[in-house]
Amino acid sequence: MTDAAASKPNLGRFGSFGRGVTPQQAREIEALGYGAVWVGGSPPAELEWVEPILEQTTTLQVATGIVNIWTAPAKPVAESFHRIDKAYPGRFLLGLGVGHPEAHSEYRKPYDALVSYLDQLDELGVPADRRVVAALGPRVLTLSAQRSAGAHPYLTTPEHTAQARNLIGPSAFLAPEHKVVLTTDADAARAVGRKALDIYLNLANYLNNWKRLGFTDDDIARPGSDRLVDALVAYGTTDAIAARLTEHLDAGADHVAVQVLTGPDKLVPALAELAGALGLNPA
């Protein structure tokens, strides 16, 4: 193993992505063999929910997907990072990003703002190898490899993963997210997928990225074509879902953040159902 590879965050092959998990759920997810829980949305800078999860687990990594640079200032985020890392060294990964121009009235020159934020984190002692950047396009993907451990692309395909790996090189960490519906009913899966995708069908950064991947204006127009939904949402048997998720690893991902589209009370059972097909080793 090279020094660069050794310094990559080690979150295992698969983790769970969601809006949040309870400490008890995190314990159960860890016991199933998943290496991380990713908490989505734009959590506040204090990150007070992280320690209770880490306290109830032993090896599980916790990652943010993502802290929004417009709503969580760098200084309190850095303070939170140091507080967490002191108590649980090497088990927290700070995922950060610029969010969406449509959602923030103060959204100006996002690339420059992201660079400035990373500069502040450097000054505040947050190590580059314990942070990742939400990245879709070539410019931010390149920045993620230069200024952090790597990239956390959201709503992408294995084809994007291959392109990202080629761009950022072998040493950078790459952890795409992929959505899952546990059903073999294609119509039902697409209905659930479309509901989850709807908000993103009006956000320019995702639309532009899908077009770079070869999707047409018709594909990305609401409510989204079957082709688009099928590319972004894995469904079918557990083996079929596992095969789709593994395509990201085959394309160069180090880790896949699996977002099961289900209610909070059904999350752990769904992850349990997938664990065997994913080749995980329960504790």
Side-chain angles (χ1 to χ4, degrees), residues 65-223:
I66 56 168
V67 165
N68 190 311
I69 69 169
W70 305 108
T71 60
K75 188 174 187 296
V77 168
E79 291 170 351
S80 296
F81 174 86
H82 290 303
R83 183 192 76 236
I84 296 164
D85 194 60
K86 181 178 180 180
Y88 301 96
R91 293 183 58 202
F92 175 64
L93 184 66
L94 176 64
L96 56 100
V98 298
H100 318 298
E102 296 86 353
H104 304 285
S105 61
E106 298 300 318
Y107 195 101
R108 298 291 185 275
K109 295 184 179 179
Y111 182 87
D112 293 344
L114 180 56
V115 170
S116 176
Y117 197 97
L118 292 168
D119 289 343
Q120 293 177 69
L121 292 182
D122 286 344
E123 293 169 3
L124 294 164
V126 177
D129 65 357
R130 296 307 303 172
R131 64 196 193 208
V132 292
V133 174
L136 293 175
R139 195 179 187 199
V140 180
L141 280 168
T142 299
L143 180 70
S144 76
Q146 295 170 340
R147 300 293 306 277
S148 77
H152 173 47
Y154 188 83
L155 269 179
T156 62
T157 64
E159 291 76 19
H160 181 273
T161 296
Q163 294 172 15
R165 174 55 73 199
N166 185 61
L167 183 67
I168 66 179
S171 299
F173 180 71
L174 184 55
E177 172 269 355
H178 203 105
K179 291 175 172 50
V180 164
V181 180
L182 277 170
T183 180
T184 56
D185 184 328
D187 290 339
R190 288 169 179 156
V192 173
R194 282 193 171 92
K195 184 177 180 180
L197 295 178
D198 184 68
I199 187 174
Y200 302 100
L201 294 171
N202 196 39
L203 298 177
N205 51 347
Y206 292 104
L207 298 176
N208 291 336
N209 190 56
W210 295 331
K211 290 177 80 170
R212 284 192 296 265
L213 289 170
F215 293 98
T216 67
D217 288 337
D218 288 341
D219 285 322
I220 65 178
R222 276 196 169 105

